[in-house]
Amino acid sequence: MSVSLVPISSLSHIRITTTTTNSSPYLFSFPSTSNPNCSSCSNSNTRIITSFFTRLRLPRSLSSCRSFTPHDGPQHFQQDGTASDEDDELLEEAQQQQQHQHQLVEDKDKDETHEVVFSSWDVLGLGQAMVDFSGMVDDQFLVNLDLEKGTRKLVNHEVRGRVLRAMDGCTYKAAAGGSLSNTLVALARLASKAPSRPLNVAMAGSVGSDPLGGFYRAKLRRANVHFLSAPIKDGTTGTVIVLTTPDAQRTMLAYQGTSSTVNFDQCLAKIISNTKILVVEGYLFELPDTIKTIKQACEEACRSGSLVAVTASDVSCIERHYDEYWEIVGNYADIVFANSDEARALCDFASEESPVAAARYLSHFVSLVSVTDGPRGSYIGVKGEAVYIPPSPCVPVDTCGAGDAYASGVLYSILRGVSDLKGMGTLAARIAATVVGQQGTRLGVQDAVKLAESFAFHLGSSTGNIQSDVGSDHISSF
């Protein structure tokens, strides 16, 4: 199988032709540039992006999911947040306004929702909205609370209160956390000062009308990510307590609160119908009440011609909800983001199977598959083949958030009209390396601007024919 990129005409489109030995060529095209002030260009963008994945998609057969054994390959959990003084000020402000928060926020959000419901969104994320409490503790702290180090588990309101009370006197910070929000913030920041127009990025989920809900929404809003769902009156915002011991192991306690209920209604349907890419966070599969919402949202996206991306999120979550994952992945997904362990879990592969084999297999069901493999690099799977992406060099400081950052690079590339898979993966790897080389899970504003400018330069300077050999899992440099 080979991939070639050639300029087509003065209309500034790029053609990508994929050829296999047993089938006829496939042709896809993206606009390399567009006029942000031209509504027809925007509509054309949506149609062309959707056309790419529609033509790329193969017929799906879920019956072979568990029985397939690969022979063609060589033999992250939700992160803790980091907070600044600004975070503390936001939380303190929310607490001070607690007595009259409900009505003020509810009225304001109703107005905001009606104001933006008819807007066009480049990316809409559907996921859990939870505030992270991150703190350093010693091993004895975990022993005293009977907590198993290095695990993640769901807890109730009482357990959460008991742990937070025990943390009195410890240094900990609050942040608007979550894997999906990390991706959305990075995406918005990449587009904030890019040569092309900014991207409209939004999130839908569930927060309460409590101070933590106001804190979460304010943090996203300051990062140019619009939280479109109105708070649930008298609801309690979900939290994740992240306890880090001196050996850098993290023990996580998740309290779902109202985030366990994400409802599908006409407002959400309208928003999805005006969205180019819907991103579904895999952690939602943990919540029985949201499975129906996920399916309805994906159906609406397909009806509207929107792309559907799914983040695998967590191995244990996949194992517990394997059939639900495949109902969405097999019937609706155009893009899947996973790390190597999550990809193997989705394929029901043994642990010794290679990530390239998982990427190849998943790409028989999904148009584009992204599989990250830590410091060993990553793979982008397309039509049964896998393009190898070397890791971007960095000095690792904190690996949390690397996969979220990588996903933002893939989404950014697609929305900017990139059809070179190697270039797409290279940008994603550079963004991930930037996050790994810092403390905290969020891509910084200045780093995002530099990455976007560099990306635009390389995109503009890449001319002529680029011939690629995908069969060896490697592709020529961007």
Side-chain angles (χ1 to χ4, degrees):
M1 178 177 179
S2 65
V3 176
S4 60
L5 291 166
V6 296
I8 293 180
S9 68
S10 58
L11 295 178
S12 300
H13 280 64
I14 293 174
R15 173 179 292 171
I16 175 169
T17 306
T18 306
T19 308
T20 63
T21 55
N22 299 321
S23 61
S24 58
Y26 298 90
L27 173 66
F28 322 110
S29 65
F30 287 124
S32 58
T33 59
S34 62
N35 182 352
N37 299 317
C38 174
S39 59
S40 62
C41 290
S42 177
N43 293 334
S44 175
N45 258 335
T46 305
R47 287 195 298 272
I48 292 171
I49 291 173
T50 305
S51 174
F52 172 71
F53 285 93
T54 301
R55 298 176 187 179
L56 194 59
R57 182 185 288 129
L58 287 173
R60 296 165 179 170
S61 174
L62 300 186
S63 60
S64 63
C65 254
R66 287 187 173 274
S67 59
F68 179 85
T69 302
H71 300 289
D72 57 347
Q75 305 305 99
H76 54 312
F77 177 77
Q78 183 169 336
Q79 309 72 263
D80 60 317
T82 58
S84 63
D85 292 338
E86 178 184 301
D87 298 326
D88 298 330
E89 291 171 4
L90 282 172
L91 188 55
E92 183 179 355
E93 178 184 345
Q95 290 170 336
Q96 290 174 350
Q97 297 176 350
Q98 185 171 10
Q99 297 303 319
H100 53 279
Q101 177 94 1
H102 297 332
Q103 192 61 47
L104 287 176
V105 173
E106 186 176 357
D107 292 344
K108 183 174 183 290
D109 289 330
K110 285 180 180 178
D111 293 339
E112 287 181 352
T113 301
H114 288 302
E115 180 182 346
V116 301
V117 71
F118 298 109
S119 299
S120 174
W121 300 99
D122 293 293
V123 173
L124 171 69
L126 184 65
Q128 284 186 295
M130 305 179 81
V131 174
D132 287 354
F133 289 98
S134 308
M136 296 292 300
V137 299
D138 55 25
D139 289 344
Q140 189 59 45
F141 182 93
L142 302 180
V143 172
N144 293 342
L145 292 174
D146 196 25
L147 300 175
E148 183 180 353
K149 184 164 68 172
T151 61
R152 170 189 179 254
K153 69 175 184 179
L154 297 177
V155 298
N156 57 28
H157 186 271
E158 288 73 22
V159 173
R160 181 185 73 160
R162 180 163 57 90
V163 174
L164 288 176
R165 284 193 298 272
M167 292 176 68
D168 283 347
C170 300
T171 300
Y172 66 92
K173 295 181 178 180
S179 174
L180 178 60
S181 66
N182 288 335
T183 298
L184 298 178
V185 168
L187 181 61
R189 287 177 173 172
L190 284 167
S192 61
K193 295 184 180 179
S196 303
R197 68 171 180 84
L199 296 175
N200 295 327
V201 182
M203 180 175 174
S206 178
V207 296
S209 55
D210 56 349
L212 288 179
F215 169 78
Y216 189 94
R217 296 164 61 82
K219 284 298 295 179
L220 287 190
R221 188 163 55 248
R222 292 194 180 191
N224 293 321
V225 176
H226 302 268
F227 194 87
L228 302 182
S229 302
I232 297 178
K233 187 176 182 180
D234 299 326
T236 304
T237 302
T239 57
V240 176
I241 301 175
V242 185
L243 305 173
T244 305
T245 46
D247 58 0
Q249 288 203 53
R250 290 175 169 84
T251 305
M252 303 184 185
L253 308 172
Y255 168 68
Q256 293 176 349
T258 57
S259 66
S260 61
T261 304
V262 180
N263 296 318
F264 183 86
D265 53 24
Q266 290 301 312
C267 180
L268 181 57
K270 186 65 177 179
I271 293 169
I272 293 173
S273 69
N274 288 282
T275 296
K276 292 179 182 177
I277 304 178
L278 171 68
V279 183
V280 177
E281 185 179 29
Y283 288 116
L284 286 181
F285 288 92
E286 287 276 59
L287 314 174
D289 294 337
T290 66
I291 299 298
K292 183 179 179 181
T293 295
I294 294 172
K295 184 176 179 180
Q296 290 174 314
C298 290
E299 288 174 345
E300 181 61 39
C302 290
R303 278 194 297 269
S304 305
S306 307
L307 300 181
V308 175
V310 177
T311 67
S313 295
D314 183 63
V315 171
S316 60
C317 183
I318 295 170
E319 292 172 346
R320 285 192 293 269
H321 306 283
Y322 188 88
D323 293 337
E324 288 85 356
Y325 264 91
W326 269 104
E327 181 180 6
I328 300 301
V329 169
N331 294 310
Y332 305 105
D334 299 287
I335 309 167
V336 166
F337 297 109
N339 63 29
S340 55
D341 291 332
E342 293 159 357
R344 280 187 285 263
L346 278 171
C347 298
D348 199 25
F349 285 178
S351 59
E352 59 268 18
E353 293 293 352
S354 66
V356 64
R360 287 170 173 168
Y361 175 58
L362 286 172
S363 69
H364 285 292
F365 303 93
V366 181
S367 299
L368 189 147
V369 179
S370 164
V371 178
T372 56
D373 194 28
R376 291 166 292 280
S378 56
Y379 297 89
I380 295 181
V382 174
K383 276 191 172 296
E385 298 292 342
V387 178
Y388 173 69
I389 309 296
S392 185
C394 73
V395 177
V397 174
D398 185 353
T399 59
C400 283
D404 308 330
Y406 191 99
S408 73
V410 173
L411 293 171
Y412 183 78
S413 299
I414 292 171
L415 290 164
R416 290 308 191 207
V418 174
S419 52
D420 173 22
L421 300 179
K422 186 71 171 186
M424 180 185 298
T426 299
L427 172 66
R430 289 188 62 195
I431 297 172
T434 301
V435 171
V436 169
Q438 67 179 26
Q439 190 67 44
T441 60
R442 294 279 166 86
L443 179 66
V445 175
Q446 295 305 316
D447 288 330
V449 170
K450 292 177 182 177
L451 286 164
E453 289 175 346
S454 174
F455 172 74
F457 172 79
H458 286 293
L459 183 62
S461 62
S462 59
T463 58
N465 295 342
I466 303 176
Q467 189 70 30
S468 307
D469 178 15
V470 183
S472 63
D473 301 330
H474 291 73
I475 189 168
S476 61
S477 66
F478 181 59

